[in-house]
Amino acid sequence: MITDGLAQKQYRRFKRPAREETMMRRYRRSAVTVMRLAAVALAVIAAGSAQAQTVYPERVIKMIVPSPAGGQTDVMARLMAQKMQQSLGQSVIIENRAGAGGALGARTAAAAEPDGYTLFYGNTSTLAVIPAVSKNAGYDPVKNYAPVASVSESYMILVVHPSFPARTIQEFLAYAKANPGKLNYAHAGAGNVTHLTGEMFRTLAGIDFVNVPHKGGNESVQGVLGNQVDFALESPVILLPLIKEGKLRALAVTSANRQAEIADVPTMVESGINGFVATLLTGVVAPAGTPGPIVGKLNSVINETLKSPDMKDLVVRFGSEARIGSPKEFGTFLAGETQKWANIAKLAGVALD
């Protein structure tokens, strides 16, 4: 044992570096161990994330359509679903949820699990018009949906039965003004885009008529075919075959320019109704909270599908134009459409409980 005070001090000075070196070695070993564990954890997380992105979809995807079978939204959704399942390697089935002008299907989709296995193929009515005119729509497209991809943009055609006395839009307007409140207008349900388009027509043309709501576009067109109502404004996918067969007479289109499919039919603006331009949008959204990688994958698949030659041909054949863009661009467009139709509804005094 060292008893001399000076010797003890020298001994401590001699031993301190050794003790410090031992502590440093232990610290370095601990740090290396922590770094290795962290690396393993990050690798596991990355592998799990990569697997989640590459595995999707693992099962059938359901696409809700808020209209009966046969309408433009339904037809376009089925075409898109067929193409999507070829790219995704999983079936994409259509579930028609008609009712409440399309709001029933919209609510169902908004309440679904945000896992990428429930999608909503909406249109202008469900994604913009109904929320703009309803106090209690039951869903908010901005809060309850994640925009995935726009698909198409189309127009409407004003049609009458061949027995109707007017053969041009000018003659129609003259007849309507000579018979105020006597004409019946068929639309696809209160708050539907065809309802508000009719109100735009009423306001801009200065005519009066009676609204007759139906459960969808097909049903309202059947009303014109059966002479139960006088006129309707509907999509070309429903009307073009009937117009070409002579079962209905087209008086005007609501697009900004004439359409190649019916080039002899003028636009509303050409016919003297300034500002009358109304288009039909379709697109895909998912419940809010759907993971970004899934939304991105679906957007990519839909955009690539729209670029394919056969899909382009089908879109054009249905009187539509493909709209390719990002989820953000789609969301911005929807917000603009909602404001547009809200202004029209306010001007026309349309508000739904």
Side-chain angles (χ1 to χ4, degrees):
M1 181 176 181
I2 300 175
T3 58
D4 181 79
L6 179 61
Q8 286 180 342
K9 291 180 180 179
Q10 291 174 337
Y11 176 77
R12 284 197 294 271
R13 285 198 298 269
F14 174 78
K15 293 295 291 182
R16 186 179 299 118
R19 288 199 302 270
E20 290 177 353
E21 179 63 27
T22 299
M23 292 176 65
M24 287 300 296
R25 284 199 298 269
R26 290 176 180 174
Y27 173 78
R28 284 195 293 269
R29 284 199 298 268
S30 297
V32 170
T33 300
V34 170
M35 290 175 65
R36 285 175 178 172
L37 289 174
V40 170
L42 288 172
V44 170
I45 293 172
S49 177
Q51 183 180 20
Q53 293 182 41
T54 55
V55 165
Y56 174 84
E58 294 182 290
R59 51 188 170 85
V60 173
I61 297 172
K62 178 174 65 178
M63 185 178 291
I64 296 175
V65 174
S67 61
Q72 179 173 1
T73 302
D74 176 72
V75 172
M76 290 300 299
R78 290 180 187 277
L79 294 172
M80 179 57 63
Q82 181 182 357
K83 295 291 181 182
M84 286 177 66
Q85 65 187 22
Q86 293 174 5
S87 298
L88 293 170
Q90 286 287 350
S91 295
V92 180
I93 63 171
I94 297 297
E95 180 180 304
N96 294 96
R97 284 292 186 96
L104 179 61
R107 293 175 198 142
T108 302
E113 287 294 322
D115 55 10
Y117 291 98
T118 299
L119 305 177
F120 182 60
Y121 195 104
N123 52 26
T124 302
S125 290
T126 52
L127 297 177
V129 174
I130 291 176
V133 302
S134 302
K135 297 178 181 178
N136 298 295
Y139 68 100
D140 184 326
V142 175
K143 295 180 180 179
N144 299 141
Y145 292 137
V148 175
S150 53
V151 175
S152 69
E153 190 172 12
S154 187
Y155 59 98
M156 285 167 273
I157 310 172
L158 190 152
V159 293
V160 296
H161 191 273
S163 64
F164 192 81
R167 301 190 66 85
T168 66
I169 192 67
Q170 289 84 1
E171 291 176 359
F172 179 92
L173 294 177
Y175 184 89
K177 290 177 181 179
N179 298 276
K182 293 184 179 180
L183 294 181
N184 293 319
Y185 169 60
H187 61 74
N192 185 277
V193 65
T194 55
H195 178 198
L196 280 197
T197 302
E199 292 305 320
M200 186 195 304
F201 186 35
R202 184 198 304 273
T203 301
L204 295 179
I207 60 175
D208 190 24
F209 48 79
V210 177
N211 279 308
V212 182
H214 292 72
K215 292 182 180 179
N218 277 341
E219 189 176 295
S220 62
V221 171
Q222 288 298 320
V224 182
L225 288 169
N227 255 331
Q228 298 163 337
V229 290
D230 298 297
F231 71 106
L233 279 155
E234 258 300 336
S235 66
V237 68
I238 300 176
L239 297 178
L240 285 176
L242 298 171
I243 293 169
K244 292 177 180 178
E245 293 172 11
K247 295 180 180 179
L248 291 175
R249 179 183 299 150
L251 300 185
V253 296
T254 66
S255 51
N257 302 300
R258 291 199 184 203
Q259 299 298 314
E261 302 86 0
I262 44 175
D264 59 331
V265 179
T267 67
M268 288 288 193
V269 175
E270 280 182 300
S271 303
I273 308 175
N274 295 328
F276 196 162
V277 176
T279 57
L280 296 171
L281 167 79
T282 69
V284 178
V285 296
T290 299
I294 291 178
V295 170
K297 183 171 185 177
L298 290 169
N299 175 268
S300 178
V301 168
I302 292 172
N303 285 343
E304 286 305 310
T305 295
L306 290 172
K307 294 176 184 177
S308 64
D310 52 346
M311 192 65 191
K312 283 182 178 179
D313 179 64
L314 291 171
V315 170
V316 171
R317 195 183 307 171
F318 287 127
S320 302
E321 179 181 353
R323 287 186 61 94
I324 296 174
S326 67
K328 183 178 180 180
E329 290 169 333
F330 186 33
T332 300
F333 181 78
L334 288 179
E337 283 291 285
T338 300
Q339 187 60 55
K340 167 188 171 181
W341 291 108
N343 293 340
I344 293 170
K346 183 178 181 180
L347 182 64
V350 177
L352 306 179
D353 294 330

